[in-house]
Amino acid sequence: HVQLVESGGGSVQAGATLSLSCAASRYAYKRNCMGWFRQAPGKDREGLAVLWLGGAQTFYADSVKGRFTIYRDTAKDLVYLQMNGLKPEDTGMYYCAIYPRGLEIQTVIARRVGYWGQGTQVTVS
């Protein structure tokens, strides 16, 4: 059974930097993607950043491109979401998920494909 645990959320002011991390108890590296998702109050969950665990290919939503970076620390078995220049609209619950490569992000969200963490709250004021 794969468990994902997010950490690093908090309450910050606009312009601040936060780094979220996602730890997985056990997962297959080469055929899966790790993604960070956000659900703001009253809004649908959205995909922010995706990393292919078998390589370096990444994807970013337009809303975070240039501000957020997803990367993996293989020595620590962690995947990070570095968030710079935070804005109030970045407020929400942040989730990490691991899922098979090749799926559309909207499908992953709608069907909750793969394994998901419990989320960590980020509040930007």
Side-chain angles (χ1 to χ4, degrees):
H1 179 67
V2 176
Q3 291 184 319
L4 301 181
V5 180
E6 304 95 338
S7 61
S11 295
V12 297
Q13 295 199 339
T17 293
L18 277 178
S19 183
L20 307 182
S21 64
C22 180
S25 58
R26 181 183 65 198
Y27 57 90
Y29 286 84
K30 293 187 177 180
R31 290 178 291 183
N32 287 333
C33 292
M34 177 77 81
W36 281 98
F37 301 79
R38 175 175 68 203
Q39 188 153 21
K43 294 187 177 181
D44 293 333
R45 192 168 296 191
E46 61 175 325
L48 303 178
V50 178
L51 171 68
W52 175 39
L53 295 173
Q57 188 176 5
T58 57
F59 160 83
Y60 294 96
D62 288 343
S63 59
V64 304
K65 197 174 295 182
R67 299 189 298 124
F68 291 11
T69 302
I70 185 171
Y71 65 97
R72 175 182 166 194
D73 184 330
T74 55
K76 297 181 179 179
D77 260 356
L78 294 172
V79 175
Y80 293 91
L81 184 68
Q82 176 75 21
M83 306 186 294
N84 299 329
L86 283 163
K87 305 175 181 179
E89 51 263 44
D90 293 318
T91 294
M93 186 70 78
Y94 283 66
Y95 301 88
C96 66
I98 184 169
Y99 57 91
R101 191 184 186 205
L103 297 177
E104 294 290 334
I105 288 179
Q106 289 306 315
T107 299
V108 174
I109 294 172
R111 300 181 183 178
R112 293 292 190 269
V113 176
Y115 298 94
W116 290 73
Q118 293 300 308
T120 184
Q121 177 69 34
V122 173
T123 302
V124 185
S125 59

